[in-house]
Amino acid sequence: RSLYLDRLRHAYIDLDDPTFIDIRYIRLFAQISEALPPGPLDTVHIGGGGFTFPRYLNNVRPGSTNVVFEIDGDLVDIAEDELGLAESDNLEIISGDARLGLDDIESGSADLIIGDVFGSESVPWHLTTREVMAEIKRVLRPDGLYVMNVIDGNQSRYAKAQLATLRAEFDNLALVLPSEGVPENRSVNQVLIASNAGLPDFQIVPEDGVLLDAEAVDTYIGDADILTDDFAPVDQLQA
């Protein structure tokens, strides 16, 4: 079953096989997570959508914990009624704004934080700024990863500003772009990766994307501005 929001396909769920992933950027989440040490992962998800990825993790890494922030209560109801979602000891859903809810998450408690939240094609501006990236860094363990899905194209001015913002708080960055690059006439999913530890060896399937290393990411960012609570023109920057 597929979930559509604002004309975009945001999730696909195989009710019989939660490990099957049909959407490219979620497959990238999976490939990135595979580079983390084996065993259970403690994960925080900013945005629930169809709850595909937390259910995937619970199946491929038994014993994992997933805290999911989803501000849209109706969306949670749809996922429960139509997409087979069920809360459990390993999957906690918090209905509310993640920017506020992160305050209640223990410091140094997450191996992985996933940012995948949108209003139409835009990440809500208050979840893009340096201030919230500092909060995400606080919640991560020293070797933890923050992985963020953004949608942008053409000159990718927003994606570059988001990377510049991550660089202001994290020591190491990587970026996964579509294998064919970023088109001039439409927006695409770009997956941003940040950590304060050295990044692991990600194995990205060529059909799903190409991984840019630190030097290439710096070139990609160029002179992009840092997003802050006082300056975050996300909608204006997007293609």
Side-chain angles (χ1 to χ4, degrees), residues 6-8 118-123 150-152 158 187 238-239:
D6 301 312
R7 307 181 310 280
L8 299 177
F118 290 90
S120 187
E121 294 189 4
S122 179
V123 180
V150 305
I151 301 174
D152 204 359
Y158 160 59
S187 296
Q238 277 187 297

Side-chain angles (χ1 to χ4, degrees), residues 25-33 53 114-116 147 149 191:
Y25 81 84
I26 303 179
R27 287 199 300 270
L28 290 172
F29 289 169
Q31 291 161 33
I32 292 165
S33 71
F53 192 55
I114 299 290
D116 185 24
V147 182
N149 177 36
V191 176

Side-chain angles (χ1 to χ4, degrees), residues 59-148:
N59 278 269
V60 301
R61 290 183 180 248
S64 293
T65 63
N66 294 272
V67 175
V68 185
F69 290 101
E70 176 51 62
I71 198 170
D72 189 342
D74 290 339
L75 185 57
V76 176
D77 291 341
I78 289 170
E80 290 175 339
D81 294 340
E82 304 291 345
L83 302 178
L85 175 67
E87 286 197 71
S88 67
D89 292 340
N90 301 96
L91 176 55
E92 177 186 4
I93 301 168
I94 299 176
S95 295
D97 191 322
R99 177 71 185 262
L100 302 176
L102 282 170
D103 290 344
D104 297 325
I105 303 295
E106 183 180 349
S107 298
S109 62
D111 301 301
L112 177 66
I113 298 180
I114 299 290
D116 185 24
V117 58
F118 290 90
S120 187
E121 294 189 4
S122 179
V123 180
W125 74 267
H126 70 297
L127 294 172
T128 70
T129 65
R130 182 172 185 175
E131 289 82 355
V132 75
M133 297 308 151
E135 187 69 0
I136 287 169
K137 181 173 69 173
R138 177 191 66 78
V139 172
L140 281 172
R141 295 190 169 115
D143 57 351
L145 292 180
Y146 178 50
V147 182
M148 184 179 188

Side-chain angles (χ1 to χ4, degrees), residues 125 129-131 226-233:
W125 74 267
T129 65
R130 182 172 185 175
E131 289 82 355
I226 294 171
L227 303 170
T228 69
D229 282 354
D230 293 327
F231 177 80

Side-chain angles (χ1 to χ4, degrees), residues 186-238:
R186 63 185 175 88
S187 296
V188 292
N189 295 96
Q190 304 182 33
V191 176
L192 289 49
I193 307 167
S195 178
N196 273 325
L199 294 174
D201 183 18
F202 303 114
Q203 299 298 315
I204 304 300
V205 174
E207 291 79 6
D208 287 336
V210 57
L211 180 71
L212 275 62
D213 62 15
E215 183 177 353
V217 171
D218 281 341
T219 301
Y220 191 71
I221 294 171
D223 60 356
D225 290 323
I226 294 171
L227 303 170
T228 69
D229 282 354
D230 293 327
F231 177 80
V234 174
D235 292 339
Q236 291 86 350
L237 288 171
Q238 277 187 297

